[in-house]
Amino acid sequence: MSVNLESLPLMENEYKLTPEQIDSYQKDGHIFLRNVMSQDEVDQYGPIISDLVMQKNYHDKPISERDTYGKAFIQVGNLWKMSEQVARYVLAKRFANIAADLMGVDGVRIYHDQALFKEPGGGHTPWHQDQIYWPLEGNKTITMWMPLVPVPEEVGTMTFASGSYHKGFISKVEISDESHRTLGEYIQGKNIPQVNYGAMAAGDATFHAGWTLHSAPGNPTDLARKVMTIIYYADGTRVAEPDSNARRNDLAGWLPGCKGGDVAVSPLNPLVYKR
């Protein structure tokens, strides 16, 4: 989709958070924010992102023939490197400012973006922790999860295990049927409260910490659940020694040229907000 870059909104203005919202995030490891983008902004960026995702969709099998992970969504990362128009969305100061405020840090870098489109009939997203994949030290990591279309309650937004990120690393099991079973049992056994925010409008967003346990149901409707995510980490974060194939792959793909102990900076990780 060809759109003049200069006609797209910059989204540099601040989204004001209250002290109560910041406290809530830092306690629970997740938060729901309304109208992070206006409907006009969604109308301009949504079709551009959707068109690019469908161009880059790598699935060549029907949903019924895929594994659990493949059934969960069409997944495309680093769209910002593929399109100047999408880069204007991903690198938006407004989103990065929210991420910095919630984490209580002075600056944030992009780890990567990721489109997660759950197709009609798409399967559930098993319980998992994002940061088992990320070779990043500490807990100052956060993901913005933003639907580009309305997400009715029956389609399913994410469910979060409140406060679970304070535990840090819980299990090395990658996202799978096994992670859904074992982490689900962990949540039940520890009586960890689960929160689902219900229906979301296009342009609403949730933010969750990298260690926050979360899952999402399948999509029983005839409409795709189109979601764009952006992962941020605090400026100055160091690279963790990769202790799994997943982290070794992420290190090579998302932090090229970096090694364990380095400050996490590469051409793929621009500083998108600094106080």
Side-chain angles (χ1 to χ4, degrees):
M1 184 174 184
S2 179
V3 175
N4 182 276
L5 180 65
E6 297 308 316
S7 70
L8 293 169
L10 275 173
M11 300 187 292
E12 290 189 327
N13 58 308
E14 184 179 5
Y15 182 101
K16 291 282 190 181
L17 295 173
T18 66
E20 291 76 19
Q21 286 174 316
I22 294 170
D23 288 346
S24 174
Y25 171 81
Q26 293 187 358
K27 172 177 171 283
D28 295 331
H30 58 84
I31 194 169
F32 170 51
L33 301 175
R34 294 192 183 278
N35 302 315
V36 175
M37 284 179 80
S38 69
Q39 187 60 56
D40 179 61
E41 289 165 343
V42 173
D43 289 344
Q44 293 186 68
Y45 280 104
I48 297 169
I49 295 169
S50 295
D51 286 355
L52 184 57
V53 171
M54 298 319 295
Q55 288 173 29
K56 301 297 180 180
N57 177 20
Y58 57 87
H59 285 306
D60 57 3
K61 294 179 180 179
I63 289 175
S64 60
E65 295 178 19
R66 302 179 204 162
D67 63 13
T68 297
Y69 193 85
K71 289 175 180 176
F73 27 62
I74 298 170
Q75 184 177 25
V76 184
N78 263 7
L79 276 78
W80 76 276
K81 294 296 290 181
M82 306 174 194
S83 159
E84 289 184 325
Q85 288 82 3
V86 177
R88 184 170 283 214
Y89 170 93
V90 172
L91 305 180
K93 185 177 178 182
R94 183 193 303 161
F95 307 153
N97 191 347
I98 294 172
D101 285 350
L102 290 173
M103 291 193 291
V105 300
D106 289 334
V108 294
R109 291 182 178 272
I110 295 284
Y111 183 53
H112 63 81
D113 67 50
Q114 202 164 50
L116 300 173
F117 282 24
K118 198 176 287 285
E119 300 157 276
H124 72 121
T125 306
W127 283 109
H128 65 286
Q129 292 178 295
D130 295 333
Q131 204 165 327
I132 67 163
Y133 293 94
W134 306 342
L136 296 169
E137 293 183 352
N139 66 354
K140 297 299 186 184
T141 60
I142 193 169
T143 297
M144 182 184 81
W145 191 95
M146 177 182 284
L148 303 174
V149 295
V151 179
E153 196 160 351
E154 63 268 23
V155 173
T157 49
M158 285 200 294
T159 298
F160 302 100
S162 287
S164 56
Y165 87 110
H166 294 295
K167 304 287 186 183
F169 172 86
I170 292 171
S171 170
K172 67 179 180 182
V173 179
E174 295 178 26
I175 185 170
S176 61
D177 291 330
E178 184 183 356
S179 77
H180 197 64
R181 178 180 59 80
T182 59
L183 292 173
E185 290 172 354
Y186 174 87
I187 292 163
Q188 294 291 337
K190 298 287 187 182
N191 292 314
I192 299 173
Q194 298 177 41
V195 173
N196 182 284
Y197 294 107
M200 293 175 66
D204 289 346
T206 58
F207 285 76
H208 67 273
W211 290 121
T212 295
L213 285 163
H214 58 287
S215 68
N219 179 5
T221 73
D222 295 329
L223 301 172
R225 191 206 69 182
K226 298 181 178 182
V227 167
M228 189 66 180
T229 68
I230 306 172
I231 303 162
Y232 303 91
Y233 62 88
D235 184 34
T237 296
R238 292 193 176 272
V239 177
E241 288 290 349
D243 53 3
S244 65
N245 285 334
R247 283 188 157 190
R248 281 186 280 275
N249 290 338
D250 259 35
L251 180 60
W254 309 122
L255 292 162
C258 294
K259 61 184 185 301
D262 289 348
V263 176
V265 177
S266 88
L268 295 183
N269 314 111
L271 182 68
V272 282
Y273 177 75
K274 189 75 172 178
R275 294 194 197 284

